[in-house]
Amino acid sequence: EIFHRWVKLYQPDARVVAGGFNFDKVLSYLDRMKDPAALKFDDFAVQMNIGELSPEQVDLDAFMAELNETLKTKETGRRIRMTELDWHIGEYVTPLQQAAYHARATMLLNSSGALPHNFSLINTGFSYEGLGVFYRQSYGNSESVRGGGAHLPYHIPKPSYFALIEIGKFL
């Protein structure tokens, strides 16, 4: 029976993902390797903690071009995964900027052959500000009731949600 459970878990066709690479360090790390394109993996995941910067300020296009060249993604068929590429609505980024950044990043990544980027779907802080493309609205007028009010049982989309849907249709 243990063998049958193991067989169910084993997936010989599963893709191997090299992960744990930070945006600001990955290229210098790969440059120190003898032949990074020879690494045995199918996909390559990069953590994109870029916070308040726009895709242009990050120079996402040049970054992807260099990463694709270093890893020879076209020749090897590997894919690049951008993880947690999100912008925080608040002091530095407006809701419309967040929407524009997601749309432009999606177009830039699509043109370089990268997979769609991951983002926070729901703002777990239950406020309009913050990460994510959905939020839950509080109701109630007393801070002492259930920790400041209860949360409505539905999620409300931010402008970024609509931008991602439309850019997906376009691509």
Side-chain angles (χ1 to χ4, degrees), residues 9-121:
L9 294 175
Y10 176 67
Q11 296 291 326
D13 298 328
R15 297 184 71 80
V16 176
V17 179
F21 299 97
N22 288 327
F23 164 74
D24 56 347
K25 297 178 183 148
V26 66
L27 292 173
S28 63
Y29 175 75
L30 291 173
D31 285 343
R32 293 192 302 264
M33 298 180 87
K34 184 176 181 179
D35 186 10
L39 294 171
K40 302 291 184 197
F41 61 86
D42 299 307
D43 295 346
F44 195 85
V46 179
Q47 183 72 27
M48 299 292 293
N49 299 321
I50 60 176
E52 296 91 27
L53 303 175
S54 73
E56 290 82 7
Q57 289 170 309
V58 174
D59 200 2
L60 197 53
D61 205 22
F63 171 75
M64 286 301 301
E66 188 171 348
L67 189 57
N68 281 332
E69 182 180 325
T70 301
L71 295 173
K72 297 183 179 23
T73 56
K74 301 229 186 306
E75 295 89 340
T76 61
R78 293 185 177 126
R79 299 178 300 184
I80 305 297
R81 298 172 184 256
M82 294 297 169
T83 60
E84 295 181 35
L85 179 58
D86 202 352
W87 287 270
H88 182 280
I89 292 175
E91 183 180 351
Y92 301 105
V93 177
T94 69
L96 293 179
Q97 285 173 318
Q98 183 198 40
Y101 293 173
H102 276 298
R104 290 194 309 248
T106 299
M107 287 178 39
L108 290 170
L109 292 171
N110 182 271
S111 69
S112 65
L115 296 168
H117 63 282
N118 293 333
F119 51 88
S120 302
L121 186 62

